Amino acid sequence: MKREQIKQLFINLARSQGFYGRFLRDIESLDEEAQEAFWTELENKNFKSEIDLINFVEGA
């Protein structure tokens, strides 16, 4: 998944789950370099589906 797809999934989930709203807020509070490193790391995981990403984030 690409960065914009990942961000959009988090935004969509934040509408119904407080965890993702806080998660996005925490990401946005990072300095620019740390944000870039975070998004690059997620992109490099090459998640094949939204479920794979959610399982990774939630530690399942």
Side-chain angles (χ1 to χ4, degrees):
M1 295 179 73
K2 298 295 180 194
R3 179 179 311 205
E4 289 306 315
Q5 293 172 298
I6 295 169
K7 283 183 185 180
Q8 190 59 52
L9 175 61
F10 291 164
I11 290 167
N12 291 342
L13 290 171
R15 292 183 183 132
S16 64
Q17 297 183 21
F19 169 80
Y20 286 95
R22 292 185 300 275
F23 190 59
L24 281 170
R25 184 190 64 224
D26 291 345
I27 294 165
E28 292 172 357
S29 72
L30 298 170
D31 64 47
E32 192 172 314
E33 186 176 318
Q35 282 187 43
E36 181 64 27
F38 174 80
W39 292 118
T40 298
E41 182 178 339
L42 281 184
E43 281 182 312
N44 289 338
K45 300 261 184 223
N46 293 316
F47 297 107
K48 301 298 180 205
S49 72
E50 292 177 350
I51 299 298
D52 291 340
L53 172 59
I54 291 167
N55 285 337
F56 176 79
V57 170
E58 294 184 4

